[in-house]
Amino acid sequence: MTIFDEREMAFENKFIHDQETLFKVRARRARLLGEWAAGQLGLSGDDAAAYSRRLADEDFSAERVTELIDAVERDFADADVDVSRHRIEREAERLFHVARDQVMSQ
């Protein structure tokens, strides 16, 4: 194996690791956003946990964070919860950083 092959393999391994980390961060962010949104919706206990899991499942099928935010916005509108889309976006961004810190500290 040449040095170029070794470098290529190292870059591929780093890419795989980075993608796995991003997946974990997104999953954690979705769960945290679900917990926050559940609180805004007045859910607690098993209902809050189920909501958070549902939101995380939606995030795995979503291609962009906007779809996750759309889901929360729809749920808030359906429940007459007065929280703006901008506030949801800010919370999702904040929780992304929290999730990243949590995943990186493991």
Side-chain angles (χ1 to χ4, degrees):
M1 181 177 285
T2 69
I3 190 144
F4 294 112
D5 293 333
E6 290 173 7
R7 287 188 69 191
E8 181 180 4
M9 185 172 288
F11 283 122
E12 288 174 3
N13 288 337
K14 182 181 180 333
F15 177 78
I16 291 168
H17 173 64
D18 290 349
Q19 291 301 305
E20 289 172 353
T21 300
L22 181 59
F23 176 81
K24 290 176 185 178
V25 169
R26 285 185 63 204
R28 176 85 44 106
R29 189 239 351 249
R31 185 180 57 79
L32 292 171
L33 186 64
E35 291 171 0
W36 173 79
Q40 300 297 312
L41 291 165
L43 302 174
S44 61
D46 291 340
D47 292 334
Y51 179 82
S52 183
R53 277 192 306 274
R54 182 180 66 81
L55 206 58
D57 289 345
E58 285 186 32
D59 185 48
F60 291 131
S61 66
E63 291 187 26
R64 297 181 310 270
V65 68
T66 55
E67 294 172 23
L68 180 64
I69 292 167
D70 290 345
V72 173
E73 187 178 35
R74 276 191 309 273
D75 292 340
F76 284 179
D78 291 345
D80 290 327
V81 174
D82 187 25
V83 175
S84 70
R85 180 177 184 86
H86 178 71
R87 174 72 174 106
I88 299 166
E89 290 169 345
R90 281 191 3 223
E91 193 64 23
E93 179 66 25
R94 184 185 75 79
L95 291 172
F96 181 85
H97 296 291
V98 170
R100 185 190 63 211
D101 292 345
Q102 289 177 356
V103 168
M104 298 306 281
S105 69
Q106 292 181 343

